[in-house]
Amino acid sequence: MKKILFLSLSLLTAAGMSAKVTLPSVLGSNMVLQQQCNANLWGKAAPSKKVTVTTSWDNRKYTVQAAADSTWKTAVATPAAGGPYSIRISDGEAIVLDNVMIGEVWICSGQSNMQMPVTGFPGQPVVGSNEAILNGTNSDIRMFVVRREVSDRPLDDCNTDTGWQEATTESVAGFTAVGYFFGLNLYKVLGIPIGLIETDWGGTRIETWMDMETAQKVEQNQVEKDKNHQAPNKTAQLYNAMIHPLVNYTAQGFIWYQGESNVGRHETYAERLADMVQLWRKEWGLGELPFYFAEIAPYAYGGTQQEKAAYLREAQFRAQSLIPNSGMISTNDLVEPYEIYNIHPRNKTKVGQRLSYLALNLTYGLKQIHCFGPQYKSWTAKGSEAWVSFDHLEMGICRNYDLRGFEVAGEDRVFHPADKVWLHWQTNEVVISSEKVPNPVAVRYCFRDFQVGTMIGGNELPTIPFRTDNW
């Protein structure tokens, strides 16, 4: 019996020593590697086995030894954008990754408004989806979708149903619309390969996208609170299964569209988002990677006069001040009146494009591309009028009539819609008044769950909803 056991162990050891090198699912043919950097490659091989990586763009060889736990990792120097190239990885038996491009890589994450594909959801279309799909074929845009799964512990690999795909009519249709239009705009301007990694799940709270330690920075009783939630909304479950497996993949930055599932719990959202970004940046180990995110769209969560979502948007705006190298786009104008009860508004095209404006301006230095709309700066009362000033008016305000969305309140703290709003063009201040408020003490703009304003900057970007009170 001992001889049989010894023979079995010997055979297992021999099999392990001759095992072929394996790669995580995110490394494969058709992928895009980040340009002009040391891009990570990693996987598994037999313990102590030497793994050789050869890159076709410079014929350079890298040698690394697998650790006792079979893992190995190296970084390859990537050139300026271009391709296609190949990468040969061998521990004696070679794997060849073909059709590899070098360009810009972005991670696309969040909940259902990020998940919503170019083809749309049933009964919830995406503007211009057919045109985008028909014109989708582009070998310079590559996409990878992480399969939606949960885990109670951090995983080193994720699953995917498709692997890396070139943009085609078929692959574009099922990919995140926000992510695709973001990447398409980058490609149009930069003219280089774009790699997009989609990792999202509809209806999920921010807590599930961070680890337990990070979540407990704000609230210590996360474990107890998680008893009220099912997968995938338990803290850390999506971080473990859908973020942690990607942290070795060298990227340029992140885009994020989430927050609807945290409406009603806005008090800690800004800190939550800042802590999540800090965790992700720490895990990627590439410094303060850009983090650009979308304001949640107008939607009547609890009726047209409710303010729960307004508080969440306010927290999102505040998060920018807590997160270095970040930016938020407004979606206040990107809904139609009939979408009041549609949490997935159809205009994902402009959401993706506006996120690309942030990247093109702030990350790629194209300052001629405007990325911020008017933002509240200060106000003062002059008799019965409230004079409001704004930041980011480099191009002024594009209209001086029909300015809707403003409300004013007096000492009774009751807000009334402004019945007169006009632009003092000499100072670019907006002057607001209501016959019902002789002495204004506070001003609000689109501070409702669903309220669409009409104040647009001269750069065609909307004014971000705000309030001057703290009631």
Side-chain angles (χ1 to χ4, degrees):
M1 177 63 107
K2 289 182 178 179
K3 289 183 178 180
I4 294 173
L5 179 60
F6 177 78
L7 179 60
S8 299
L9 289 173
S10 298
L11 290 172
L12 286 172
T13 302
M17 290 299 289
S18 62
K20 185 177 180 180
V21 65
T22 59
L23 301 176
S25 63
V26 74
L27 296 180
S29 295
N30 305 317
M31 68 180 175
V32 177
L33 291 181
Q34 180 63 34
Q35 67 169 331
Q36 297 179 305
C37 71
N38 293 318
N40 291 325
L41 298 175
W42 70 101
K44 290 187 175 182
S48 302
K49 193 82 169 181
K50 286 187 177 181
V51 177
T52 301
V53 177
T54 306
T55 51
S56 73
W57 54 83
D58 57 5
N59 291 317
R60 183 174 171 183
K61 290 186 177 181
Y62 303 80
T63 301
V64 62
Q65 187 173 29
D69 64 355
S70 299
T71 61
W72 62 268
K73 178 181 175 184
T74 190
V76 299
T78 57
Y85 298 109
S86 64
I87 301 174
R88 186 177 186 273
I89 304 173
S90 177
D91 65 347
E93 186 175 356
I95 294 175
V96 178
L97 307 182
D98 291 315
N99 195 26
V100 173
M101 304 300 283
I102 308 295
E104 292 294 297
V105 179
W106 288 81
I107 313 293
C108 314
S109 188
Q111 58 179 116
S112 56
N113 272 305
M114 180 63 82
Q115 179 183 337
M116 190 176 189
V118 173
T119 195
F121 291 140
Q124 299 174 323
V126 168
V127 171
S129 63
N130 275 346
E131 291 80 1
I133 294 168
L134 288 170
N135 297 301
T137 300
N138 186 332
S139 62
D140 278 336
I141 298 178
R142 309 292 178 87
M143 301 170 294
F144 180 91
V145 181
V146 177
R147 189 188 298 167
R148 294 173 185 97
E149 295 179 334
V150 300
S151 176
D152 291 327
R153 60 180 180 82
L155 301 180
D156 294 325
D157 197 5
C158 59
N159 290 311
T160 178
D161 295 321
T162 59
W164 279 95
Q165 294 182 297
E166 295 184 8
T168 64
T169 53
E170 182 178 1
S171 62
V172 165
F175 195 70
T176 161
V178 169
Y180 174 71
F181 291 120
F182 168 84
L184 180 62
N185 241 33
L186 293 189
Y187 173 75
K188 287 179 178 178
V189 176
L190 302 178
I192 62 176
I194 303 296
L196 303 168
I197 298 176
E198 176 182 354
T199 179
D200 47 35
W201 195 321
T204 53
R205 308 178 306 139
I206 193 172
E207 289 83 356
T208 194
W209 293 101
M210 61 183 71
D211 64 13
M212 183 62 72
E213 181 181 356
T214 300
Q216 291 186 149
K217 285 183 181 179
V218 176
E219 294 184 49
Q220 292 296 317
N221 58 343
Q222 280 301 306
V223 175
E224 187 65 28
K225 283 193 169 188
D226 275 350
K227 294 178 181 178
N228 300 321
H229 298 284
Q230 302 296 319
N233 263 320
K234 288 185 179 296
T235 302
Q237 290 213 334
L238 298 190
Y239 168 78
N240 289 338
M242 298 179 65
I243 295 296
H244 192 268
L246 304 174
V247 299
N248 283 327
Y249 202 92
T250 306
Q252 177 63 265
F254 309 98
I255 60 171
W256 172 257
Y257 196 162
Q258 188 275 340
E260 296 89 347
S261 290
N262 284 85
V263 166
R265 290 172 288 112
H266 58 272
E267 294 90 346
T268 60
Y269 187 84
E271 288 75 18
R272 284 252 187 256
L273 187 58
D275 286 342
M276 185 198 79
V277 174
Q278 184 179 41
L279 169 67
W280 288 13
R281 287 172 172 172
K282 177 184 175 182
E283 293 294 320
W284 258 265
L286 298 171
E288 292 181 348
L289 291 176
F291 184 86
Y292 303 132
F293 58 102
E295 169 193 70
I296 61 170
Y299 172 74
Y301 289 84
T304 57
Q305 297 303 306
Q306 298 298 310
E307 302 166 354
K308 292 187 298 183
Y311 293 121
L312 195 284
R313 295 186 197 102
E314 183 179 58
Q316 288 181 304
F317 181 77
R318 185 168 68 86
Q320 295 174 105
S321 65
L322 304 178
I323 306 171
N325 200 19
S326 72
M328 186 192 81
I329 64 157
S330 179
T331 61
N332 174 257
D333 61 326
L334 299 183
V335 297
E336 303 292 340
Y338 64 82
E339 293 181 307
I340 184 170
Y341 297 113
N342 179 5
I343 202 168
H344 305 124
R346 59 197 285 267
N347 200 337
K348 294 294 183 288
T349 310
K350 286 191 175 180
V351 176
Q353 289 173 345
R354 287 178 183 176
L355 287 167
S356 78
Y357 300 160
L358 288 170
L360 290 167
N361 183 305
L362 301 177
T363 300
Y364 298 107
L366 300 175
K367 300 303 180 184
Q368 65 272 36
I369 297 175
H370 298 281
C371 59
F372 292 115
Q375 298 178 9
Y376 168 74
K377 181 180 180 181
S378 61
W379 82 284
T380 185
K382 296 182 180 180
S384 62
E385 297 176 326
W387 287 57
V388 185
S389 62
F390 296 86
D391 285 323
H392 297 293
L393 294 184
E394 294 82 4
M395 298 297 292
I397 297 172
C398 81
R399 61 199 299 168
N400 56 11
Y401 63 94
D402 191 31
L403 290 170
R404 288 178 272 119
F406 286 98
E407 297 177 281
V408 290
E411 293 180 356
D412 61 359
R413 298 188 174 187
V414 176
F415 280 92
H416 299 275
D419 49 40
K420 185 178 181 181
V421 183
W422 57 281
L423 175 66
H424 186 257
W425 62 267
Q426 296 90 336
T427 60
N428 267 333
E429 290 175 285
V430 176
V431 184
I432 304 144
S433 60
S434 169
E435 291 183 356
K436 296 180 179 180
V437 183
N439 298 299
V441 300
V443 179
R444 290 184 175 185
Y445 175 75
C446 293
F447 205 79
R448 301 282 182 182
D449 279 2
F450 188 93
Q451 188 172 26
V452 182
T454 61
M455 183 173 156
I456 307 295
N459 54 15
E460 293 194 319
L461 295 175
T463 300
I464 292 179
F466 68 90
R467 61 172 176 158
T468 65
D469 64 278
N470 60 358
W471 304 335

